[in-house]
């Protein structure tokens, strides 16, 4: 087995482990995990849980038709969330702290920082943060969509060094082990590429929403940011015995860089782009080689209807070279593209800044 060390881990637990029957919380697969969490904390380590299961837990309490409406599913989540938290709390003699997030919370820089500070304080006060998507209010455009990627975002915002994804299979295989008896476990992944994604199948159970692909997506977000990621079988008690001994009884995705600063992580992984700015070769050279801000004079085309403060892709000759926060909306950038910075005020009648995207609000790819 691979050996690994860690100090602050995010552990993602899916519905298939929390509510294996699909309609209520169960402790069947959670006792060994709870012992691992307690032992890790006693060893001075920090743990954050990302837990699915609220909708499954509420399903037995809300009698609905087969095709539930959004409001009915949100009612199930609201009722089931307390049941899920109570299910976790019964395993521990220290407090569990509920943290409910939407994708919108993660995209907003102020709320992102508040989440980081809240998680830090919960850990300082020796409580166990239990993070879940806020399904009671989130609609599709506000949802992360699966708790594998929510686990990755949580690891990023919490500045963890490890993400442990508890699944119902042992890790990443050369093929689907449920269908192919010759499939073998891949103990280590050095780099996530198209070949690794090609090994991903569909969702493994009818309870959860995440399959192997979302687990690889989560691993890619984390490993590129210096966070090692493990996929292990959460249904086996011996899994957590091995983890306590520092061994990986599954697949270890190795971190391939040192952790970046929090703002860079937020820009890179969390914000969705609202438009595109095309630039010329001179502007590209200034960004890449000189670490400069993007000036209006280097902009050639604007695509999309973004507002001031929205994230945009910066493209040169068809290649995305950067992502950043625009200091002007698309309409105004159309008017000042190709112009000198000194001409912004005369063209627009006002001047927010003498650059289109400041270097501090930009990440180069």
């Amino acid at each position: 087995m691979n050996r690994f060390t860690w100090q602050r881990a995010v552990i993602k637990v899916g519905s298939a482990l929390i509510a294996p029957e699909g309609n209520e919380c169960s402790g069947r697969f959670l006792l060994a995990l709870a012992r691992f969490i307690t032992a890790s904390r006693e060893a001075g380590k920090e743990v954050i849980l990302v837990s699915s299961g609220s909708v499954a837990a509420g399903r037995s309490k809300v009698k609905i038709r087969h095709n539930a409406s959004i409001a009915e599913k949100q009612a199930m989540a609201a009722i089931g969330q307390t049941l899920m938290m109570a299910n976790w709390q019964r395993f521990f003699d220290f407090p569990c702290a509920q943290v409910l997030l939407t994708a919108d919370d993660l995209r907003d820089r102020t709320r992102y920082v508040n989440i980081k500070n809240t998680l830090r304080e919960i850990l300082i006060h020796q409580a166990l943060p239990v993070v879940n998507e806020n399904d009671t209010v989130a609609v599709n455009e506000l949802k992360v969509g699966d708790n594998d990627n929510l686990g990755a975002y949580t690891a990023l915002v919490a500045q963890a060094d490890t993400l442990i994804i508890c699944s119902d299979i042992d890790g990443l295989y050369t093929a689907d082990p449920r269908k192919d008896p010759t499939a073998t476990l891949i103990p280590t992944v050095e780099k996530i590429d198209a070949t690794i994604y090609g090994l991903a199948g569909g969702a493994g159970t009818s309870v959860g929403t995440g399959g192997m692909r979302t687990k690889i997506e989560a691993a890619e977000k984390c490993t590129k940011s210096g966070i090692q990621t493990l996929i292990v079988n959460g249904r086996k008690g011996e899994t957590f015995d091995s983890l306590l001994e520092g061994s990986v009884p599954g697949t270890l995705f190795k971190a391939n860089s040192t952790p970046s600063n929090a703002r860079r992580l937020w820009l890179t992984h969390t914000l969705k782009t609202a438009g595109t700015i095309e630039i010329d070769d001179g502007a590209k050279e200034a960004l890449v080689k000189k670490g400069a801000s993007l000036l209006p004079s280097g902009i050639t085309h604007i695509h999309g209807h973004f507002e001031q403060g929205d994230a945009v892709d910066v493209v040169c000759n068809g290649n995305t070279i950067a992502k950043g926060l625009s200091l002007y909306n698309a309409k105004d950038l159309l008017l000042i593209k190709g112009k000198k910075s000194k001409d912004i005020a005369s063209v627009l009648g006002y001047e927010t800044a003498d650059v289109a995207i400041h270097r501090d609000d930009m990440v180069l790819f």
Side-chain angles (χ1 to χ4, degrees):
M1 290 184 184
N2 285 302
R3 305 291 297 177
F4 83 118
T5 59
W6 63 281
Q7 182 57 39
R8 178 180 292 177
V10 171
I11 304 175
K12 180 268 175 181
V13 188
S15 299
L17 302 182
I18 294 169
E21 305 303 324
N23 59 6
E24 62 182 357
C25 288
S26 167
R28 188 196 314 173
F29 300 119
L30 302 184
L31 184 58
L33 170 57
R35 285 198 299 262
F36 169 74
I37 292 172
T38 300
S40 296
R41 285 167 51 98
E42 289 174 350
K45 299 179 186 294
E46 295 176 322
V47 176
I48 298 168
L49 268 178
V50 172
S51 175
S52 305
S54 61
V55 174
R59 189 171 286 124
S60 63
K61 306 298 181 183
V62 181
K63 304 303 179 184
I64 59 171
R65 58 184 182 273
H66 179 66
N67 294 318
S69 67
I70 291 176
E72 286 171 327
K73 289 179 179 177
Q74 290 176 326
M76 281 194 291
I79 294 170
Q81 186 66 31
T82 60
L83 300 173
M84 186 196 77
M85 288 299 298
N87 191 52
W88 279 118
Q89 185 63 75
R90 68 191 177 108
F91 292 107
F92 306 110
D93 58 4
F94 46 81
C96 294
Q98 176 176 267
V99 181
L100 297 175
L101 304 176
T102 67
D104 218 30
D105 295 324
L106 296 164
R107 292 171 192 152
D108 182 274
R109 179 62 186 168
T110 300
R111 279 183 274 174
Y112 186 91
V113 172
N114 286 341
I115 293 164
K116 180 181 71 172
N117 293 339
T118 298
L119 290 173
R120 184 188 66 238
E121 287 299 316
I122 292 172
L123 293 172
I124 288 174
H125 287 83
Q126 300 299 307
L128 174 67
V130 182
V131 179
N132 194 13
E133 185 137 34
N134 194 352
D135 291 316
T136 61
V137 299
V139 291
N140 284 339
E141 60 267 24
L142 295 181
K143 290 175 73 69
V144 174
D146 67 89
N147 273 12
D148 293 322
N149 279 291
L150 182 61
Y153 291 132
T154 302
L156 292 169
V157 71
Q159 297 177 306
D161 53 57
T162 303
L163 171 64
I164 302 173
I165 300 175
C166 294
S167 183
D168 53 358
I169 60 172
D170 290 349
L172 179 65
Y173 280 78
T174 54
D176 188 342
R178 299 179 179 93
K179 300 176 182 178
D180 186 348
T182 66
T184 57
L185 179 70
I186 301 173
T188 307
V189 175
E190 298 282 350
K191 181 182 179 181
I192 297 174
D193 53 21
T195 302
I196 297 299
Y197 273 108
L199 301 174
T205 70
S206 60
V207 177
T209 57
M212 188 55 68
R213 182 174 183 85
T214 58
K215 291 170 177 56
I216 295 173
E217 289 173 353
E220 184 175 27
K221 288 181 177 70
C222 285
T223 55
K224 284 185 174 180
S225 304
I227 302 170
Q228 62 185 345
T229 302
L230 288 63
I231 299 177
V232 299
N233 193 330
R235 292 191 169 190
K236 295 180 177 179
E238 57 266 31
T239 290
F240 302 103
D241 295 333
S242 296
L243 291 175
L244 277 175
E245 295 169 359
S247 299
V248 182
T251 301
L252 170 65
F253 295 82
K254 289 191 174 182
N256 55 20
S257 66
T258 55
S260 304
N261 67 67
R263 188 170 181 83
R264 179 181 174 88
L265 294 177
W266 175 70
L267 280 168
T268 304
H269 298 292
T270 309
L271 281 184
K272 290 187 177 180
T273 53
T276 302
I277 295 175
E278 291 189 37
I279 63 174
D280 58 29
D281 290 328
K284 175 185 175 182
E285 183 174 0
L287 298 184
V288 174
K289 295 184 178 180
K290 300 178 182 178
S293 298
L294 177 61
L295 303 178
S297 58
I299 298 175
T300 58
H301 295 89
I302 304 295
H303 305 281
H305 302 284
F306 51 88
E307 299 298 325
Q308 180 184 8
D310 282 348
V312 294
D313 287 324
V314 180
V315 175
C316 183
N317 299 321
N319 297 313
T320 301
I321 64 166
K323 178 180 177 182
L325 305 180
S326 178
L327 289 169
Y328 291 93
N329 62 36
K331 180 181 177 182
D332 287 346
L333 277 183
L334 278 170
L335 296 174
I336 62 174
K337 68 179 178 67
K339 301 283 196 302
K340 299 289 186 182
S341 295
K342 63 181 178 63
D343 297 327
I344 293 176
S346 61
V347 173
L348 298 181
Y350 76 97
E351 180 182 337
T352 296
D354 58 358
V355 300
I357 302 176
H358 195 279
R359 185 68 187 87
D360 291 346
D361 294 327
M362 187 189 311
V363 58
L364 296 174
F365 297 138

